[in-house]
Amino acid sequence: MDKLVKTNVQELNLQFIKGQKCSATFKLTNLMHTMSVAISVTTTNPSLFALSQPLSILPPLSTSSYTLFFSQTSSDRCPRIQVARIETVMVRSSMLPTGKAHQDDLSKLFSKPGPRIFKDGTISVFFVGPHVVEYLLAYSSKSLEVSFLLPKAIAGCDQAELNSLLKKGAKMGKSFVVSCLVDAGADVNSRDLEGRSAMSVAVEFGNVGVAEVLIESGFVMNKKKDLFLHEAAEKGCVEMLEILCLGYGDIDVNSVDSKGQTALHIASIHGLVQVVRFLLSVGSIPDIADKKGWTPLHFSAQEGHLEVVKVLLTHSILSKYAITKEGKTAYALAVEKGHDHLYGILHLQDLLHRAARVGDVHSMKSCLAEGGNVNAKDQNGWTPLHRAAFKGQFECVKLLISHGAVVDAIDDDGYTPLNLASMVGHSQVSLFLISHGGKANVKSLQGKISRDWNCFINHDSSAIKT
């Protein structure tokens, strides 16, 4: 025989509640048919725990209950020692032929080890409940102690506590904790009185790993209330935007908030160029106006966000000319705020191209004096020099060259200003460009130009952009 008594449990769960007493009960049974047994119950940490019957006598085949108390009842903090190691209750026994003995006698009996003392088993002690989970949240999820203790602690939580802890785990970015809570029965779709869910919290704090767990666990978006794209855009979290778009294939990237603004509006307001690029790549429409008639371009112009303005203009021609309900263009808003670095791209470049086309040298000089970019390209890659050369505006060509225009600038189809002037037959312009280093782009003359040449001979310039 290797033991005299048996325990009814292998683990004890102490439901820890701040400021309250904490205890758990277990039972021991005497396996001897005819003889009483002396029992000694101790803990690995007597400073933290007390026992109802540290020393006792069990009659033959009888069972008795024992209670383990957590002695620090006045503390409002979960015992730190539980993260470092597992506490245990140790049960020892010895045969007691007389069936009677005083406490002092029992104490002496177990004070000396020997073959008469049986080690009947150990019971692991765990603290459980929401307060314990909150305490463990402060530790790294990669900690071996936490990964072992957390599921134990969660087992002591009810449904409401699990749902509450889910939001706390989402806030702290503890994807492992969130996963454990979901496995234990936490409802990923639960919302508080304000309608906030764990996903709302994860998006708000930019915790991508948690968002992935929640999506995989079946979180369902409320398309009318959950403006996750707006929140992620404001945070500048492109990775969160990617996860949301991948996780919800039917997500509306052009959904609007109470102001009528899309996520693209939000990113443009804050000058988040990488977010703007991503949203445009997944279908955001740059021409959508909010309730006051403002497009994303209006906001980026008002705030002076040059890089965002550039990106938006490559995706929209109309927004540059759109007016708010107050009748203001993006250019007008830039002027109001004194963002002179935007004047060219929002207005002066258009004027410069128009003046080059019609030969208005005076307007061109004004535009250049105000800061217009002499090499600014339009949506087809044409510079003002392309346009002046194509139209044979010799004085305009000279003015542009004198202000630093790139002679061999290439448009989106591979044409240089010299190509265009030569094809249309503007010899004076062609010779001037050659004299200033202009060279024919041989690659562009192959194939497409030979086809377009016939159009020019017939005075049909529709094949070339004007």
Side-chain angles (χ1 to χ4, degrees):
M1 176 177 291
D2 58 356
K3 63 180 180 178
L4 303 179
V5 299
K6 69 174 182 178
T7 62
N8 69 321
V9 294
Q10 293 182 330
E11 296 179 359
L12 280 179
N13 293 326
L14 292 174
Q15 187 78 25
F16 180 83
I17 302 175
K18 293 178 181 179
Q20 296 186 22
K21 292 183 177 181
C22 178
S23 63
T25 300
F26 60 97
K27 294 180 180 181
L28 298 178
T29 299
N30 183 356
L31 298 176
M32 303 296 290
H33 287 72
T34 59
M35 189 176 297
S36 296
V37 173
I39 305 292
S40 170
V41 182
T42 58
T43 68
T44 50
N45 198 333
S47 64
L48 286 180
F49 300 100
L51 286 154
S52 60
Q53 299 184 71
L55 296 169
S56 60
I57 298 174
L58 275 179
L61 298 178
S62 66
T63 299
S64 181
S65 295
Y66 298 77
T67 302
L68 176 73
F69 299 96
F70 176 55
S71 58
Q72 296 182 358
T73 55
S74 61
S75 174
D76 283 338
R77 297 181 60 187
C78 183
R80 186 181 184 87
I81 195 170
Q82 281 305 107
V83 176
R85 63 189 178 120
I86 308 301
E87 301 296 341
T88 57
V89 173
M90 295 171 290
V91 179
R92 295 182 297 163
S93 64
S94 179
M95 288 183 284
L96 192 64
T98 62
K100 295 180 181 181
H102 294 292
Q103 289 291 308
D104 290 342
D105 297 329
L106 294 177
S107 180
K108 291 179 181 179
L109 177 64
F110 290 104
S111 64
K112 297 180 181 180
R116 68 186 185 283
I117 305 298
F118 289 78
K119 296 179 180 179
D120 295 280
T122 58
I123 304 174
S124 298
V125 179
F126 298 98
F127 287 96
V128 302
H131 297 300
V132 182
V133 177
E134 288 180 16
Y135 176 74
L136 293 173
L137 277 171
Y139 289 82
S140 170
S141 297
K142 296 180 181 180
S143 165
L144 292 176
E145 292 89 351
V146 172
S147 63
F148 177 70
L149 293 172
L150 184 64
K152 303 286 186 181
I154 289 175
C157 302
D158 60 26
Q159 185 67 57
E161 291 167 343
L162 289 173
N163 295 342
S164 176
L165 288 167
L166 192 65
K167 294 182 180 66
K168 293 179 180 179
K171 179 178 179 179
M172 298 181 69
K174 304 287 188 175
S175 55
F176 171 76
V177 175
V178 169
S179 181
C180 288
L181 289 165
V182 172
D183 290 342
D187 182 5
V188 295
N189 290 300
S190 66
R191 295 175 184 263
D192 58 24
L193 296 177
E194 297 177 353
R196 286 173 56 77
S197 62
M199 179 66 86
S200 303
V201 176
V203 173
E204 178 184 354
F205 288 90
N207 293 323
V208 177
V210 172
E212 287 184 289
V213 171
L214 294 173
I215 291 172
E216 292 172 359
S217 299
F219 176 79
V220 178
M221 275 186 61
N222 185 323
K223 295 181 180 179
K224 293 183 179 180
K225 296 181 179 180
D226 292 331
L227 299 177
F228 295 152
L229 293 180
H230 290 69
E231 295 179 43
E234 185 173 5
K235 296 290 182 181
C237 189
V238 175
E239 191 176 1
M240 181 66 78
L241 290 167
E242 292 175 342
I243 292 299
L244 291 169
C245 290
L246 288 172
Y248 301 100
D250 60 345
I251 194 169
D252 183 6
V253 296
N254 293 303
S255 62
V256 298
D257 59 16
S258 59
K259 296 179 180 179
Q261 295 175 355
T262 64
L264 187 60
H265 278 93
I266 305 301
S268 300
I269 291 170
H270 295 284
L272 302 170
V273 66
Q274 296 301 326
V275 176
V276 168
R277 287 197 178 101
F278 174 79
L279 290 171
L280 289 169
S281 73
V282 294
S284 291
I285 300 173
D287 297 323
I288 292 178
D290 67 8
K291 292 182 178 180
K292 293 184 178 181
W294 288 53
T295 66
L297 185 64
H298 284 107
F299 284 107
S300 57
Q302 184 187 53
E303 299 299 326
H305 300 312
L306 176 59
E307 293 305 314
V308 173
V309 167
K310 287 180 178 179
V311 173
L312 290 172
L313 287 177
T314 61
H315 288 77
S316 171
I317 300 174
L318 300 177
S319 58
K320 185 189 293 189
Y321 310 105
I323 59 174
T324 66
K325 290 187 176 180
E326 292 82 18
K328 297 177 181 179
T329 62
Y331 171 71
L333 292 168
V335 171
E336 283 184 3
K337 295 294 184 179
H339 299 311
D340 54 3
H341 61 292
L342 298 180
Y343 294 173
I345 194 171
L346 290 175
H347 184 60
L348 296 178
Q349 290 171 194
D350 287 350
L351 292 180
L352 191 58
H353 275 265
R354 189 178 301 112
R357 187 178 71 247
V358 301
D360 188 347
V361 176
H362 177 73
S363 294
M364 289 181 66
K365 289 180 178 179
S366 297
C367 289
L368 291 169
E370 291 178 34
N373 184 356
V374 71
N375 292 305
K377 292 188 175 184
D378 64 12
Q379 66 272 20
N380 300 309
W382 276 28
T383 65
L385 188 59
H386 278 92
R387 203 164 290 283
F390 177 65
K391 289 296 184 178
Q393 305 292 356
F394 182 64
E395 294 301 322
C396 293
V397 169
K398 290 198 298 181
L399 177 65
L400 292 167
I401 293 294
S402 69
H403 280 77
V406 177
V407 177
D408 287 329
I410 299 174
D411 71 3
D412 293 348
D413 290 325
Y415 292 94
T416 66
L418 177 57
N419 294 147
L420 300 179
S422 299
M423 288 188 294
V424 184
H426 297 310
S427 57
Q428 185 183 22
V429 172
S430 297
L431 290 172
F432 183 81
L433 291 172
I434 291 172
S435 70
H436 283 77
K439 298 178 181 178
N441 186 345
V442 177
K443 182 178 180 179
S444 71
L445 293 175
Q446 297 174 350
K448 191 176 190 304
I449 291 182
S450 63
R451 184 188 69 236
D452 292 334
W453 178 247
N454 293 325
C455 298
F456 285 113
I457 292 177
N458 296 319
H459 306 288
D460 180 6
S461 61
S462 61
I464 298 294
K465 307 173 186 68
T466 60

